[in-house]
Amino acid sequence: MSMKLHHRVDGPAGAPLLVLGPSLGTTLDIWEPQLSALTEVWRVLRYDLPGHGGSAPAASGLTIDDLARAVLDLVDDDHDDEFAVGGISLGGAIATAIAAGEQAAAPRRRVRSLVLCCTSARFGEPGPWLERAALVRASGVAQLAPALAARWFTAGYDGRWVTDMLDGVDAESYAACCEAIASCDLTGRLPAITAPTLIVAGADDPATPLGQALTLAQGIPGALLRVVPGAAHLASVERADAVTPAIVQHLGGDSSHAAGMRTRREVLGDAHVDRAVAATTGFTRDFQHLITRYAWDEIWNRPGLDRRTRSCVTLTALVARGQLDELAMHVRAALRNGLTPDEIGEVLLQTAIYCGVPAANAAFAVAQRVLSQD
């Protein structure tokens, strides 16, 4: 079954790709609580299910593998390298199918990381899902809102911005997705997943209870399970304060890369960092990751010196080593960090004594050019 899913891409060009899928009845906007944090490091592709948001309707006979192929078509149109993939509920099952469907005979595995939120390898017996499909075909989707709100969120949580998404969902497409869920059983395919996997479960989730999360955790080699207290089925919305850092940490291996990227942008500016990220290749990716984590987080974010002082030290070191291209970049950074042109001149004047007059002469020429442009 061929289909084209509506999607949206956010984040810096050239950054590694992260693909995120929504739950049944919601749109790609379900990932808004995580988007700001994720796009600091990732180029995030979010998609709508058939008949949801901006995607065209779908007919009956839909399967999870059909949806997985449609998502992979989006990836192939946009990206030919490794990518991370994740999803909530039905979106999580689609991500699971993608990660489990990589063939051992393929030249390389493309899924580098997997995030599964409030999802399952098998969503219970098919009967209730087929009954829901029939009900929606007869009465529409919006009438499910009260019942779904009680499953999506714990009592007292106001998630109306999410339940309002039901108003625009095509009934036949919703029913077709119910049928896909009814026939879904990925349990036997879980051991084939090799990507590092984070499983997020809401402690109070009635739709995909903890037992289903444990099945995923036990079936996927090396998977990490994170149970979020005070959350029902849409834990990434209700407890974004807990879920977002867990996802960022899992995707980055640690939080250092995200913190370093934030500082790098604050010091050097978005335009410079965007150019550097866009120019990253498979050959240079590990080096870019290294400097982001160690230079921009573990050094620049240390509390012992403020950024003005670190700029002074950096300017001096670059003059001493004759790194004039880097010096130009850090003259601009020094301005962003609060140094005045006169203070930059004082730093360079002192380098004439300790680094040598020729080195300082070249440095003044670079700084003069930069300062005259800014």
Side-chain angles (χ1 to χ4, degrees):
M1 181 180 294
S2 177
M3 69 188 85
K4 186 71 172 179
L5 300 177
H6 172 257
H7 64 286
R8 187 181 305 160
V9 179
D10 298 279
L17 183 67
L18 169 62
V19 181
L20 295 174
S23 61
L24 178 62
T26 70
T27 71
L28 54 76
D29 291 327
I30 197 71
W31 287 103
E32 278 301 320
Q34 286 72 44
L35 190 63
S36 176
L38 292 175
T39 52
E40 289 182 3
V41 176
W42 296 83
R43 193 160 56 94
V44 179
L45 187 158
R46 296 174 291 159
Y47 63 87
D48 285 325
L49 296 166
H52 294 59
S55 288
S60 60
L62 198 63
T63 69
I64 296 296
D65 285 327
D66 291 331
L67 293 167
R69 279 192 290 271
V71 173
L72 283 172
D73 286 343
L74 296 179
V75 174
D76 291 340
D77 288 345
D78 181 81
H79 193 76
D80 63 359
D81 204 348
E82 293 180 339
F83 62 96
V85 63
I88 310 170
S89 194
L90 176 53
I94 295 168
T96 302
I98 290 172
E102 293 191 311
Q103 300 300 313
R108 60 189 173 90
R109 292 179 179 268
R110 295 177 63 195
V111 176
R112 61 188 291 180
S113 193
L114 181 61
V115 176
L116 305 178
C117 292
C118 302
T119 189
S120 181
R122 183 173 183 268
F123 293 83
E125 295 298 321
W129 289 104
L130 298 177
E131 291 170 5
R132 190 191 295 190
L135 176 63
V136 165
R137 286 189 173 107
S139 305
V141 178
Q143 50 93 26
L144 296 177
L148 290 179
R151 294 168 67 82
W152 287 353
F153 306 112
T154 59
Y157 182 83
D158 184 4
R160 281 177 293 180
W161 72 273
V162 180
T163 55
D164 284 348
M165 296 177 190
L166 291 164
D167 293 339
V169 176
D170 172 67
E172 178 58 38
S173 299
Y174 186 98
C177 288
C178 287
E179 292 168 343
I181 292 173
S183 65
C184 174
D185 189 354
L186 300 168
T187 310
R189 296 161 64 178
L190 298 180
I193 296 174
T194 60
T197 302
L198 172 68
I199 301 162
V200 176
D204 303 311
D205 184 356
T208 51
L210 186 56
Q212 296 183 13
L214 288 171
T215 298
L216 290 169
Q218 292 165 358
I220 300 173
L224 174 66
L225 173 62
R226 173 73 180 271
V227 180
V228 181
H233 188 49
L234 298 185
S236 58
V237 174
E238 187 170 7
R239 289 297 315 278
D241 61 315
V243 174
T244 303
I247 294 174
V248 168
Q249 181 176 5
H250 172 71
L251 291 174
D254 56 50
S255 60
S256 184
H257 188 272
M261 184 62 75
R262 186 182 308 113
T263 301
R264 190 177 179 185
R265 289 184 178 279
E266 289 171 357
V267 173
L268 300 181
D270 287 336
H272 174 87
V273 176
D274 285 345
R275 287 193 298 271
V277 170
T280 301
T281 66
F283 183 70
T284 63
R285 182 176 293 112
D286 288 345
F287 175 70
Q288 288 293 319
H289 195 77
L290 176 77
I291 61 174
T292 300
R293 286 185 294 125
Y294 289 103
W296 291 107
D297 182 34
E298 296 199 16
I299 296 300
W300 276 87
N301 284 340
R302 286 180 61 84
L305 296 174
D306 61 24
R307 288 186 181 174
R308 283 172 48 88
T309 305
R310 291 193 185 281
S311 274
C312 293
V313 173
T314 302
L315 291 174
T316 302
L318 292 173
V319 173
R321 298 291 298 175
Q323 302 294 329
L324 298 183
D325 289 340
E326 289 281 314
L327 178 65
M329 179 179 74
H330 276 279
V331 168
R332 296 186 183 91
L335 294 171
R336 294 177 66 89
N337 283 339
L339 270 71
T340 66
D342 287 345
E343 288 171 328
I344 292 171
E346 286 295 324
V347 172
L348 299 184
L349 186 63
Q350 185 153 333
T351 67
I353 302 303
Y354 293 96
C355 302
V357 171
N361 184 53
F364 266 105
V366 169
Q368 178 67 46
R369 184 176 70 250
V370 171
L371 295 172
S372 66
Q373 293 170 350
D374 292 346

